[in-house]
């Protein structure tokens, strides 16, 4: 999904669709795995210089809130933060 977003950026696309924590799926495709995580798109765009800021702590709080509400959060960023890892270029 990220490679598609990078290709879109290179072609001038500036609007992308995502879902926080990859929550969701497709009502028309049974078993669809979910959506592109908004926070992962934001992190990608930050690294590419398209976004000026990336609020790691706010994103972490939001993803944990959704997880605590029983939603199936599928976020590589949450996985990294929960394991004590860091995100390149984010302080």
């Amino acid at each position: 999904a990220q490679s598609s977003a990078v290709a879109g950026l290179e072609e001038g696309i500036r609007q992308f669709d995502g879902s926080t924590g990859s929550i969701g799926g497709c009502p028309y495709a049974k078993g669809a795995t979910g959506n592109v995580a908004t926070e992962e798109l934001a992190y990608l765009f930050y690294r590419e210089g398209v976004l000026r800021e990336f609020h790691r702590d706010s994103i972490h709080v939001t993803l944990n809130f959704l997880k605590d509400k029983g939603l199936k959060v599928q976020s590589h960023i949450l996985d990294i933060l929960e394991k004590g890892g860091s995100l390149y270029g984010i302080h």
Side-chain angles (χ1 to χ4, degrees):
Q2 288 189 5
S3 60
S4 296
V6 169
L9 277 174
E10 290 171 353
E11 292 299 318
I13 295 172
R14 293 298 180 261
Q15 290 186 350
F16 296 82
D17 187 34
S19 175
T20 304
S22 272
I23 293 171
C26 178
Y28 308 108
K30 204 167 216 163
T33 58
N35 301 297
V36 175
T38 303
E39 65 277 6
E40 292 175 19
L41 286 173
Y43 180 52
L44 169 70
F45 298 152
Y46 175 79
R47 290 189 337 257
E48 293 292 321
V50 176
L51 290 179
R52 293 184 189 158
E53 297 178 20
F54 182 86
H55 299 279
R56 177 194 64 202
D57 295 337
S58 297
I59 289 168
H60 195 185
V61 167
T62 301
L63 294 171
N64 277 320
F65 173 80
L66 295 172
K67 188 175 166 185
D68 291 345
K69 292 295 181 185
L71 295 169
K72 186 176 179 182
V73 175
Q74 300 177 56
S75 171
H76 297 293
I77 288 180
L78 182 60
D79 293 342
I80 291 167
L81 295 175
E82 285 188 338
K83 292 175 183 171
S86 60
L87 301 172
Y88 175 77
I90 306 295
H91 307 287

